[in-house]
């Protein structure tokens, strides 16, 4: 059985994953679970427990930062007619913006 998916790096902290299935729920759950397990290796226990840490910013001033999380925006053509790359770009920008408004690991489907 051949899997026809694509994963690419858009730029910065943005990636694209193209799936040829509407059954993305389990995959997203697995990604969030794996991320939550591995992210703990990059922070002190107290920071994870608190959900934030204090670190100097580029100006040398102490600033409060949230623990890194994933924001996932999903665009599906299951309920709308997507006919162009412009449509994908437009809906992706909306989904990403809405997902990033939420706290912690977040998912927004459009």
């Amino acid at each position: 059985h051949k899997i026809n998916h694509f994963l690419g790096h858009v730029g910065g902290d943005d990636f694209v994953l193209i799936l040829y299935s509407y059954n993305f729920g389990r995959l997203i759950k697995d990604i969030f679970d794996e991320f939550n397990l591995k992210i703990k290796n990059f922070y002190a226990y107290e920071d994870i427990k608190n959900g934030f840490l204090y670190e100097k910013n580029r100006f040398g001033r102490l600033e409060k930062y949230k623990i890194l999380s994933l924001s996932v925006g999903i665009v599906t053509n299951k309920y709308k007619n997507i006919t162009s790359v412009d449509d994908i770009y437009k809906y992706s920008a909306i989904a990403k913006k809405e997902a990033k408004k939420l706290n912690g690991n977040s998912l927004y489907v459009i």
Side-chain angles (χ1 to χ4, degrees), residues 6-108:
F6 172 78
L7 175 65
H9 181 228
V10 177
D13 61 353
D14 293 335
F15 293 83
V16 62
L17 175 60
I18 298 173
L19 302 173
Y20 293 90
S21 170
Y22 296 118
N23 300 320
F24 53 81
R26 181 67 195 175
L27 174 63
I28 298 303
K29 183 189 179 316
D30 289 347
I31 290 170
F32 282 164
D33 288 349
E34 185 75 13
F35 180 84
N36 288 336
L37 183 67
K38 300 278 173 93
I39 197 64
K40 294 174 184 176
N41 295 319
F42 296 92
Y43 292 94
Y45 172 78
E46 283 297 313
D47 297 335
I48 292 288
K49 190 173 111 185
N50 294 332
F52 63 88
L53 69 149
Y54 287 99
E55 191 64 47
K56 288 184 181 178
N57 64 21
R58 63 182 170 174
F59 304 110
R61 288 186 231 124
L62 209 54
E63 195 169 331
K64 184 177 177 179
Y65 293 95
K66 294 179 187 176
I67 299 298
L68 190 66
S69 62
L70 293 176
S71 299
V72 177
I74 293 183
V75 177
T76 175
N77 63 350
K78 189 171 185 176
Y79 305 110
K80 64 181 76 42
N81 187 21
I82 297 174
T83 59
S84 69
V85 173
D86 288 339
D87 286 347
I88 295 170
Y89 176 77
K90 176 179 70 176
Y91 291 129
S92 296
I94 293 167
K96 179 178 88 167
K97 181 180 178 183
E98 293 301 319
K100 286 187 178 217
K101 287 180 182 178
L102 304 170
N103 287 326
N105 292 339
S106 59
L107 172 65
Y108 189 88

